[in-house]
């Protein structure tokens, strides 16, 4: 157990739907990062939150949004889902310079 | 801006042979460098990291990497491969300030032959 908890582990949904992925960071970590891992794109940085504030955006589609709550857990919302959104979604938490700790990921399948 | 290049998307070695996975980086500021391992259907696990100080970094499972600034490289090595080392390995770079977001390489899948 890495200390970073992601739920659900698997999600199957239809095109056009909306889903929410949840991440609880390791105790004491203020930063949460979201990544998308797909076969053709590799590991792509989506967004970074630090203590509730958005700090950086990467290749995140406008259909995707995220937030970090006061208890530091984060949610990634994916809407108007397309087949191409099928991927593994990872969150990671960190303290600066100490390296990310990754969750085990949510495997999203859009059918 | 930062980037990472991992040479060789697939590497095969015999059990007991040297493992060498190559990583070159580009960074406009002094970097932090990381190697992660991913086993099938699992998340990424930190193998080792370079932040400051000693350029030869030792990690878990017998892996080590050397930061060579002149060559902008951070290659991962292990003297003797074990079957359990078969996995995908990712090199990553981050800035030493600001958002600390990681830029990952495309990964190298290591196969260990009996």
């Amino acid at each position: 157990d890495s200390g970073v908890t992601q739920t659900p582990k698997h999600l199957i949904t239809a095109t056009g739907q909306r889903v929410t992925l949840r991440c609880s960071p390791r105790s004491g970590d203020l930063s949460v990062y979201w990544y998308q891992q797909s076969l053709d794109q590799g590991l792509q940085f989506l967004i970074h939150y630090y203590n509730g504030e958005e700090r950086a955006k990467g290749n995140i589609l406008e259909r995707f949004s995220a937030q970090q709550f006061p208890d530091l857990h984060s949610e990634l919302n994916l809407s108007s889902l397309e087949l191409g959104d099928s991927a593994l979604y990872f969150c990671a938490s960190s303290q600066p310079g100490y390296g990310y700790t990754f969750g085990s990921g949510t495997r999203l399948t859009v059918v | 801006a930062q980037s990472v290049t991992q040479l060789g998307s697939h590497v095969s070695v015999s059990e007991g042979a040297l493992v060498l996975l190559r990583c070159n980086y580009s960074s406009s500021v002094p970097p932090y460098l990381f190697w992660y391992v991913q086993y099938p259907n699992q998340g990424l696990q930190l193998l080792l990291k370079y932040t400051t100080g000693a350029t030869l970094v030792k990690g878990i499972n017998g892996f080590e990497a050397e930061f060579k600034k002149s060559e902008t490289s951070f290659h991962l090595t292990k003297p003797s491969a074990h079957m359990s080392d078969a996995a995908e390995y990712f090199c990553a770079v981050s800035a030493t300030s600001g958002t600390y977001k990681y830029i990952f390489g495309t990964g190298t899948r290591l196969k260990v032959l009996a």
Side-chain angles (χ1 to χ4, degrees):
Chain A
D1 182 7
S2 69
V4 178
T5 303
Q6 286 189 251
T7 56
K9 292 192 182 305
H10 301 277
L11 201 48
I12 302 175
T13 190
T15 54
Q17 294 298 305
R18 172 189 169 95
V19 297
T20 297
L21 313 183
R22 182 187 169 102
C23 170
S24 294
R26 202 176 52 165
S27 178
D29 289 353
L30 301 179
S31 275
V32 170
Y33 301 80
W34 285 97
Y35 281 80
Q36 179 193 60
Q37 186 179 33
S38 60
L39 284 175
D40 54 342
Q41 297 284 333
L43 269 162
Q44 296 289 312
F45 168 71
L46 296 178
I47 199 162
H48 169 212
Y49 275 86
Y50 178 83
N51 202 21
E53 293 187 5
E54 180 186 303
R55 283 294 180 92
K57 265 187 174 180
N59 300 323
I60 188 166
L61 300 172
E62 285 191 13
R63 300 183 285 108
F64 296 1
S65 65
Q67 58 185 132
Q68 186 178 28
F69 294 86
D71 66 353
L72 300 177
H73 91 271
S74 178
E75 293 181 356
L76 180 67
N77 300 296
L78 315 176
S79 61
S80 303
L81 285 167
E82 302 175 359
L83 295 177
D85 297 328
S86 296
L88 262 172
Y89 291 85
F90 287 106
C91 81
S93 70
S94 79
Q95 296 181 27
Y98 284 87
Y100 287 0
T101 301
F102 279 87
S104 56
T106 294
R107 182 174 294 281
L108 173 66
T109 304
V110 183
V111 297
Chain B
Q2 296 161 310
S3 65
V4 170
T5 301
Q6 289 185 241
L7 295 175
S9 58
H10 292 80
V11 170
S12 293
V13 299
S14 298
E15 192 173 20
L18 172 72
V19 175
L20 171 61
L21 304 182
R22 299 178 186 274
C23 172
N24 287 88
Y25 71 92
S26 171
S27 178
S28 55
V29 298
Y32 289 157
L33 294 159
F34 307 86
W35 275 99
Y36 281 83
V37 60
Q38 184 179 28
Y39 297 100
N41 300 314
Q42 293 188 28
L44 284 79
Q45 180 184 6
L46 179 66
L47 273 178
L48 50 80
K49 63 180 186 287
Y50 169 79
T51 53
T52 59
T55 56
L56 182 62
V57 180
K58 295 187 185 299
I60 62 171
N61 301 339
F63 284 94
E64 63 181 37
E66 187 170 10
F67 170 59
K68 292 187 176 180
K69 185 178 177 181
S70 61
E71 299 178 9
T72 61
S73 69
F74 191 58
H75 301 331
L76 182 70
T77 60
K78 182 174 180 178
S80 177
H82 192 271
M83 298 298 287
S84 61
D85 294 327
E88 189 149 22
Y89 293 79
F90 292 91
C91 181
V93 62
S94 84
T96 54
S97 61
T99 183
Y100 301 103
K101 72 179 184 187
Y102 289 15
I103 304 300
F104 283 89
T106 51
T108 297
R109 187 168 297 277
L110 176 66
K111 187 174 181 179
V112 182
L113 308 171

